[in-house]
Amino acid sequence: MALPLIRRAATALAVVAALSVVCFALLDAAPGDPAASVLEARNGGRPPAAADVARLRADMGLDEPLPVRYARWVSAAVRGDLGTSYLTGRPVTETLAATAPWTALLTAAATLLSAAGAVAVGLVAALTRRAWLRRAIDGLSFVLGGLPGFVAALLLLYVFTAATGLLPSGGVGRPGEPVTPYRLLTHLVLPATALAFGHHFGIYVRLVASGVGRLRDAPHVDNARARGLPRRVVTTRHLMRPGLVPFTARLGVSVGTLLTGAYTTEVVFSWPGMGRQAIDAARGQDYPVLVAVVLVTGLVVVAANLAAELVVAALDPRTRAPGRPSMPTDPHPTPGETAHAR
Amino acid sequence: MPSGRVGAGMRPRGLLAVRMRPRRPGLTAALVVLGAMVALAAAAPLLTPYEPLATDTSATSLPPGSPGHPLGTDMLGRDLLSRMLHGARTSLAVGITAAAVTVGAGTLIGGLAAVAPRWLDGLIARTADVLLSLPLLVVVLALAAVAGPSTRVVIAGIAVTNWMPVAMVVRAELRSLRERLYVRAAYGLGLTRRQVLWRHLLPGAAPPVAAIAAFEVGHAILTESTLSFLGLGIPPNQPSWGNLLTEAQSHLLTGEWYTVAVPAAAVIVTIVAVNLVANAVGGRSEGRSW
Amino acid sequence: MHRRPVLTALAAMSVAVVLAACGQDGHDGGQGGTSAPARDGTLTYALGDEPETFNPGLQDEHTDPVTELVFRGLTRRDADNKVVPALAESWQIAKDGRSYTFRLRKGLTWHDGKPVTSDDVAFTIETVKAAGADSPLARNFTAVTSVTAPDATTVRLELERPFAPMLDAMAMAVLPKHVLNGKKITDPDFGRQPVGAGPFRLTAYKPGQYAELRAFGGYYEGAPGLEKIIIKYVPDDSARLIQLANGEVDAANLAPQQAAKVRGKRLEVYPTADYRALMFNLTNPRFADKRVRQAMNHAVDRDAITESVVLGYGTPAKGPLDTTPYASAPGFAFNPARVTALMTEAGYARDGQGLWARNGSTLRFELSTFAEDSLRVAILNVAATQLRQQGFDVVPTPRPRDWVRRHWSDLEVFVVGWGTPYDPDTSVYGPFHSSEALAEGGSNFGSYDNPAADKALEDGRGTLDPDRRKAAYDAFQQALQDDPPFVWISYLKAINAVPDDLTGPRQRTLGHHGYGFFWNAETWRYR
């Protein structure tokens, strides 16, 4: 298992390198002058004088050739220096360190909630003999499939805060007071729920239901039942473990979906994560911040894919044999799933 | 106790059945809904006397069912029905165009990869790998920063981040078909590569691609609404369902709830219908059923 | 291999993140605190706009609440926006208006305990003047030839010519020399951890979340009545209303359609000097004829716009100085007959679609504004409909802010916002004097060029005699009436909801964005 892992990791690194080139080149080729944007932001929206722009361009190192700028950026990035925000003049790493953990928390909570929910509901769908229940789950997963994430978020916001006042409407706590785990939880519930039960939830349910359902009547399961193994053991070891393989592979792939879904959720719930930062950066041509967010998101997605492959390998004994393809299922996501914004 | 099993010879029902074979009533309903949406969008100017942008300061915030304004008006007195119908034009056009561009690009690239030398095939695969690790929102953020938010950016963003599955399917289908006897026979009969590609290879890859194309339409509509919500999608004065939702969300609490409910319902119903159709088109293709 | 690696891995990951996030936040969350709504002298106020910096040297005269509470200038403005003493207890102005001597109060201290001296004042003026384009306020000091500090409490300014807004300009915050010396004025650290001499000091700032201010005991008028003011940044209109209703905040800045939904709070509705208008790009030959611009001024129904777009929380605009003591603009009435008369006079006739046309082409133009600003977009759409009804071929097209930045000179007609309640010169010289045209790097974005207006503006800033100033601004407003640079639309009102038992907020004409609501916050307290 070690060798294929190293190979996968090397591929992942290559992808990351390509990612950085693409991001940097793309953003660097952008029209509009960042120096002008900075001056204008400081100047209350008035267009700045050409001489001031030229001076700032030189200060910011924008006049050097592209390869030089890229090389400097990479060498600094490796040392943890992602540059200075054009808009706030603060180190990008500093702002990212303040926002990224919140996005990570929200994404992780939603992933957990989504996965637990999908496994539970999917198992019910696969194993129940009540046709109406299967149909209800079927219908639910279809409707959720058509629900834009921000609409779900607005609905939850309306029901649980505006109409009933049961939960706080946003942020991560009361300003100026310490964030206690309990209070954090009350603030986390709504955004995590909105993110967890959106568009992709139906896909998860289906993957669980079809993965497990396909095995329900498989010979090895019948065999296990015939041997008199307890139902619990049959379900967990012989149905769930292999049956969840496609779902797990997909879970890794859709971390990117959830991560960017979190951006929208963050906007609705005033969650202090990377999302709002990324959107402001895109609007204000704050390239250092934008490149950093793109890079971090890409890194997380690559890491999540890698992790999913490891988990799949652990779940499915076939993939452990050396020389076999490391993925039992198509690792590439289906359309509508790739990495869409919700 | 054995769970409610379906015998080996029986057709599975419920969730499993949808995956394999559509329930007909659902499909019919979905097709009717989609047909109606397209017809309404196409006939929008005939169905309403109001311009979608025309304000009327003497008829602001009318509730649904008001005379002359079946769906009511917004805070500036714009007719909601007219805005919904014109919004449907934008949203459906974006959905269909984005799906067409995505599938077109995917088919081309997949076809190229299937016949290309090893290095090019590899390059395409690696490019796909890089793009797979870039979520759509991030790509659109970058594109919007470069080019400014526009309909074209939305379509380009969707295409750039979604051609890969199409390309994979096309490439895999072409590769497997290439070795089939009838394809070899076609070459043997003296057909050129191009003729074989058009007459024998591409038609073979059509069914799975059609399923992806159908899903892509729904996905693109969803994406349009989200991007417009974030201010990165359709330019604000062009009615689209996403833009209607964006403008309306600040009125969710101030009485004009219907300005949110109507476009939200339209988005959900359309996507569910599109997905039902796509599911039926996709038929039994395993794992790609969604 | 673990039994259930999936769930275990997920659980471990999320626990780790929760711990990391809590730990990360725990350090700077402030001390103590209970979970009950804090009413122990704390006011939490929700606001939409968050500034890039709290450095007053980088803002214009309309400062955000945090900057306003942290800093003080030599002068300040009272409830009528008249200049009164602040850090300076008195001043003398030479007869020729070219020399100012300010005497500072004794015992002034910065938030870090250092004394405020005349050196700080001299440093501030020199730094801002030298900052040029980096500081919007530099324009106030171009006439200053020297700043001297003969002793610790005396500052003397020498001017090359009289500059009437000088006393008002001195309301600009004094900056601490000991913190900024040797640094650029754009120093980002100072913008986040400002040190001032105002009634409140900034004790915590979480970008994108909130700023926490605590009462400063060393303030020259004594400690303020509130112990703590928290400015919470909530960009979404709906979210502000929800948080106000839920008790997550005590006070909030509200949008017009929300005012009627507020329960259990007191509404403070103040006029502002912040107006909206449609600016013509006068480099475009289609707008050269002033009769066309006059006709368009008669074509909009300002009352209808004010009633619909801001639900009556506004006042129809007549000119740029309506909310100042200099107001004298006659304004334009909605009058379709005048539109027809003026357009016909200008050589236009209605075509088959009822649109004004000349030489076979309609008067077609794009009306745009910042797409991100929903109020301006609403004004744009209503104005476009009204103008179209009067035969103008308007194409309403909101544009992203970023696009506008790159295309100022390509705009045709644009929804602008200007206005100040302070010295009139501040908000009219830049936008209307021909020397400030866009091509010259100024803020006259429409390139308006009217010799009569230019002369009046120069007179207005060049004399200290109140009657002559009044006459100059009367002439200026008449010049704009004759040759309109804008289609005047509406002044906005600022709506703020505050707790019923909060005393102290007092009506004043506020500035841009409704900034200035906290102008006397040091006197606020709970009953």
Side-chain angles (χ1 to χ4, degrees):
Chain A
M1 189 166 149
L3 203 63
L5 174 62
I6 292 171
R7 201 181 305 138
R8 300 291 321 175
T11 312
L13 269 181
V15 170
V16 170
L19 196 69
S20 74
V21 176
V22 169
C23 294
F24 189 81
L26 179 69
L27 294 169
D28 204 79
D33 192 331
S37 303
V38 173
L39 282 178
E40 213 184 67
R42 275 186 210 147
N43 216 356
R46 291 170 196 82
D52 294 316
V53 175
R55 190 161 47 87
L56 190 63
R57 279 190 67 86
D59 277 2
M60 290 163 82
L62 290 169
D63 290 330
E64 309 210 31
L66 180 92
V68 174
R69 291 200 300 273
Y70 177 69
R72 202 169 41 198
W73 179 72
V74 168
S75 77
V78 171
R79 284 179 276 119
D81 173 11
L82 286 169
T84 307
S85 161
Y86 290 169
L87 291 184
T88 61
R90 308 293 299 178
V92 172
T93 326
E94 180 191 293
T95 28
L96 214 58
T99 56
W102 292 114
T103 300
L105 170 66
L106 177 58
T107 312
T111 307
L112 196 65
L113 206 59
S114 194
V119 168
V121 175
L123 279 181
V124 169
L127 301 179
T128 186
R129 51 181 156 173
R130 294 183 181 85
W132 64 266
L133 188 57
R134 273 203 296 266
R135 269 199 208 113
I137 293 173
D138 194 16
L140 177 78
S141 67
F142 248 106
V143 171
L144 286 181
L147 187 64
F150 69 95
V151 174
L154 287 173
L155 264 176
L156 286 176
L157 189 67
Y158 184 69
V159 172
F160 288 98
T161 75
T164 59
L166 287 173
L167 288 165
S169 65
V172 292
R174 288 187 75 89
E177 293 176 30
V179 179
T180 62
Y182 171 74
R183 203 176 298 156
L184 183 59
L185 199 65
T186 61
H187 282 85
L188 183 59
V189 170
L190 285 184
T193 308
L195 187 53
F197 299 103
H199 178 66
H200 56 279
F201 183 71
I203 304 167
Y204 290 178
V205 170
R206 279 168 170 260
L207 280 170
V208 172
S210 68
V212 174
R214 192 172 42 201
L215 295 174
R216 198 173 46 186
D217 306 310
H220 80 273
V221 177
D222 279 341
N223 180 355
R225 288 200 190 95
R227 276 188 288 151
L229 287 177
R231 195 178 155 201
R232 204 187 139 78
V233 175
V234 174
T235 309
T236 53
R237 192 176 301 166
H238 297 283
L239 275 177
M240 276 177 67
R241 200 155 150 184
L244 291 183
V245 167
F247 162 67
T248 313
R250 178 60 43 79
L251 201 59
V253 167
S254 51
V255 162
T257 308
L258 276 163
L259 195 59
T260 50
Y263 293 0
T264 321
T265 316
E266 283 173 8
V267 170
V268 176
F269 290 102
S270 318
W271 191 259
M274 293 194 298
R276 174 151 260 142
Q277 200 184 5
I279 290 159
D280 288 348
R283 285 182 182 161
Q285 288 185 310
D286 194 351
Y287 297 141
V289 172
L290 192 56
V291 167
V293 171
V294 170
L295 199 66
V296 167
T297 307
L299 285 176
V300 170
V301 173
V302 170
N305 286 349
L306 210 58
E309 286 176 20
L310 289 181
V311 174
V312 166
L315 280 177
D316 188 342
R318 281 174 306 174
T319 56
R320 276 181 232 163
R324 287 281 196 82
S326 63
M327 293 290 292
T329 51
D330 180 6
H332 298 300
T334 46
E337 223 301 62
T338 318
H340 55 76
R342 290 174 55 245
Chain B
M1 183 188 121
S3 54
R5 266 190 266 173
V6 181
M10 283 161 62
R11 280 196 31 202
R13 286 170 294 162
L15 199 65
L16 302 176
V18 172
R19 185 171 55 83
M20 299 204 179
R21 205 110 290 278
R23 287 200 307 274
R24 290 296 162 189
L27 179 61
T28 314
L31 286 170
V32 168
V33 166
L34 289 181
M37 290 274 184
V38 172
L40 287 173
L46 306 175
L47 294 174
T48 160
Y50 300 102
E51 286 283 322
L53 291 181
T55 60
D56 181 355
T57 47
S58 63
T60 56
S61 302
L62 296 178
S66 304
H69 301 285
L71 292 180
T73 60
D74 68 8
M75 258 189 68
L76 301 179
R78 292 174 294 197
D79 178 59
L80 196 55
L81 176 65
S82 161
R83 290 175 73 68
M84 281 301 298
L85 292 174
H86 284 88
R89 298 186 129 194
T90 310
S91 291
L92 295 178
V94 167
I96 292 165
T97 315
V101 173
T102 305
V103 170
T107 308
L108 267 176
I109 297 170
L112 184 65
V115 298
R118 214 185 158 80
W119 66 269
L120 186 57
D121 186 23
L123 184 69
I124 292 173
R126 293 291 82 77
T127 310
D129 274 345
V130 172
L131 287 173
L132 280 173
S133 54
L134 273 186
L136 178 133
L137 190 59
V138 163
V139 171
V140 174
L141 281 176
L143 285 176
V146 171
S150 72
T151 312
R152 253 179 277 170
V153 164
V154 173
I155 292 171
I158 293 172
V160 166
T161 47
N162 287 286
W163 59 267
M164 296 81 74
V166 184
M168 305 276 168
V169 169
V170 170
R171 177 183 171 277
E173 293 283 339
L174 292 187
R175 283 257 156 123
S176 78
L177 289 172
R178 202 161 58 174
E179 302 309 318
R180 297 272 174 86
L181 207 54
Y182 76 93
V183 177
R184 291 178 171 211
Y187 279 120
L189 288 169
L191 270 71
T192 63
R193 275 179 96 138
R194 174 183 292 215
Q195 286 170 317
V196 173
L197 186 69
W198 282 107
R199 287 192 207 160
H200 298 286
L201 293 180
L202 284 180
V209 170
I212 298 184
F215 282 118
E216 210 47 63
V217 173
H219 174 218
I221 292 173
L222 193 74
T223 306
E224 178 272 310
S225 67
T226 304
L227 292 176
S228 299
F229 176 74
L230 295 175
L232 297 165
I234 308 295
N237 241 30
Q238 183 176 349
S240 80
W241 291 340
N243 275 341
L244 290 189
L245 275 169
T246 308
E247 279 179 33
Q249 55 133 346
S250 60
H251 311 313
L252 192 59
L253 309 172
T254 49
E256 290 97 1
W257 56 270
Y258 50 89
T259 56
V260 178
V262 173
V267 171
I268 295 170
V269 166
T270 307
I271 296 171
V272 168
V274 167
N275 284 355
L276 274 168
V277 172
N279 229 352
V281 176
R284 17 180 104 239
S285 72
E286 195 68 41
R288 265 183 211 294
S289 56
W290 190 267
Chain C
M1 195 59 68
H2 199 278
R3 275 291 170 92
R4 278 178 233 160
V6 192
L7 292 180
T8 313
L10 279 174
M13 185 169 86
S14 57
V15 168
V17 172
V18 172
L19 291 178
C22 293
Q24 196 251 344
D25 201 63
H27 299 298
D28 38 14
Q31 62 271 73
T34 57
S35 60
R39 290 306 299 275
D40 46 345
T42 300
L43 179 74
T44 306
Y45 174 79
L47 180 68
D49 308 310
E50 180 174 0
E52 304 281 358
T53 172
F54 297 131
N55 183 345
L58 301 180
Q59 303 190 12
D60 64 14
E61 63 277 5
H62 307 122
T63 54
D64 73 282
V66 173
T67 312
E68 179 169 33
L69 292 167
V70 168
F71 291 93
R72 272 290 177 268
L74 290 186
T75 64
R76 61 187 299 195
R77 294 102 178 183
D78 66 4
D80 299 319
N81 284 310
K82 289 218 174 68
V83 175
V84 293
L87 296 187
E89 60 181 6
S90 65
W91 53 77
Q92 281 112 40
I93 308 170
K95 280 249 161 53
D96 63 0
R98 289 175 49 198
S99 171
Y100 286 71
T101 309
F102 292 92
R103 195 159 305 278
L104 267 64
R105 286 171 205 272
K106 300 230 163 40
L108 295 172
T109 55
W110 294 107
H111 292 162
D112 60 8
K114 300 264 191 331
V116 179
T117 68
S118 52
D119 251 4
D120 291 308
V121 180
F123 169 82
T124 302
I125 294 171
E126 279 160 3
T127 307
V128 169
K129 181 171 155 62
D134 278 343
S135 172
L137 295 175
R139 57 175 146 82
N140 286 335
F141 302 101
T142 46
V144 173
T145 51
S146 84
V147 192
T148 48
D151 64 57
T153 54
T154 311
V155 182
R156 186 164 298 131
L157 265 68
E158 301 293 340
L159 276 63
E160 64 182 18
R161 56 180 182 271
F163 184 65
M166 201 65 227
L167 277 183
D168 188 76
M170 293 314 294
M172 174 184 75
V174 177
L175 300 171
K177 183 178 181 183
H178 67 280
V179 178
L180 273 169
N181 208 7
K183 293 181 188 161
K184 285 185 176 180
I185 192 172
T186 53
D187 182 61
D189 288 322
F190 185 73
R192 289 233 175 163
Q193 289 138 15
V195 175
F200 287 84
R201 61 198 167 88
L202 184 66
T203 47
Y205 173 48
K206 296 238 150 200
Q209 298 183 52
Y210 65 88
E212 182 196 79
L213 299 133
R214 283 173 187 271
F216 173 50
Y219 179 60
Y220 70 86
E221 292 180 306
L226 291 171
E227 273 167 41
K228 205 155 80 165
I229 294 179
I230 292 170
I231 307 290
K232 192 173 176 189
Y233 299 109
V234 186
D236 186 73
D237 286 352
S238 303
R240 283 202 298 281
L241 184 61
I242 296 176
Q243 299 198 359
L244 187 70
N246 280 358
E248 288 173 68
V249 298
D250 307 315
N253 180 250
L254 296 176
Q257 76 271 16
Q258 300 178 323
K261 306 286 167 186
V262 176
R263 299 279 172 274
K265 302 279 176 190
R266 187 174 76 236
L267 285 183
E268 298 280 350
V269 180
Y270 299 173
T272 77
D274 188 9
Y275 66 85
R276 296 290 177 270
L278 317 183
M279 177 193 78
F280 295 101
N281 181 350
L282 291 160
T283 59
N284 189 320
R286 267 169 299 180
F287 305 124
D289 191 333
K290 63 185 179 188
R291 287 169 296 195
V292 170
R293 284 175 273 131
Q294 288 166 347
M296 282 168 67
N297 261 301
H298 284 296
V300 294
D301 183 351
R302 291 166 188 80
D303 291 310
I305 295 180
T306 308
E307 283 310 310
S308 62
V309 176
V310 292
L311 298 168
Y313 290 99
T315 324
K318 296 173 173 169
L321 296 173
D322 294 6
T323 57
T324 71
Y326 295 91
S328 72
F332 294 86
F334 173 57
N335 187 345
R338 283 295 295 150
V339 175
T340 306
L342 285 162
M343 289 305 283
T344 311
E345 222 178 282
Y348 285 86
R350 298 247 191 189
D351 71 359
Q353 290 177 286
L355 298 173
W356 293 111
R358 195 172 62 174
N359 305 332
S361 65
T362 58
L363 187 66
R364 187 178 180 83
F365 61 88
E366 178 183 292
L367 176 59
S368 69
T369 194
F370 298 125
E372 292 85 353
D373 186 331
S374 57
L375 177 67
R376 290 193 197 199
V377 172
I379 288 174
L380 171 142
N381 278 310
V382 177
T385 303
Q386 293 183 350
L387 287 169
R388 224 183 152 73
Q389 281 162 358
Q390 297 302 322
F392 296 92
D393 195 0
V394 188
V395 184
T397 317
R399 301 278 192 176
R401 194 174 287 275
D402 210 54
W403 187 95
V404 174
R405 271 182 185 161
R406 299 200 295 266
H407 295 86
W408 278 113
S409 57
D410 305 331
L411 299 171
E412 298 189 321
V413 182
F414 191 80
V415 184
V416 287
W418 283 114
T420 184
Y422 311 138
D423 192 276
D425 178 78
T426 327
S427 77
V428 288
Y429 195 88
F432 301 110
H433 196 278
S434 60
S435 68
E436 297 280 331
L438 183 66
E440 314 286 325
S443 46
N444 180 355
F445 297 147
S447 306
Y448 182 64
D449 186 353
N450 178 349
D454 281 359
K455 173 160 189 316
L457 285 170
E458 286 153 21
D459 289 350
R461 70 159 41 171
T463 175
L464 272 62
D465 176 50
D467 294 332
R468 283 179 58 199
R469 274 203 104 189
K470 177 87 176 98
Y473 288 114
D474 285 349
F476 167 69
Q477 290 171 81
Q478 189 56 49
L480 296 198
Q481 181 80 16
D482 298 339
D483 185 3
F486 291 175
V487 175
W488 311 100
I489 302 290
S490 181
Y491 281 83
L492 310 175
K493 284 183 178 168
I495 308 166
N496 286 292
V498 298
D500 269 330
D501 56 352
L502 181 77
T503 63
R506 187 163 163 214
Q507 174 159 328
R508 173 168 107 167
T509 302
L510 303 181
H512 220 60
H513 303 297
Y515 279 171
F517 180 57
F518 286 86
W519 71 276
N520 66 343
E522 68 276 4
T523 67
W524 295 7
R525 62 186 71 241
Y526 285 113
R527 246 197 315 265

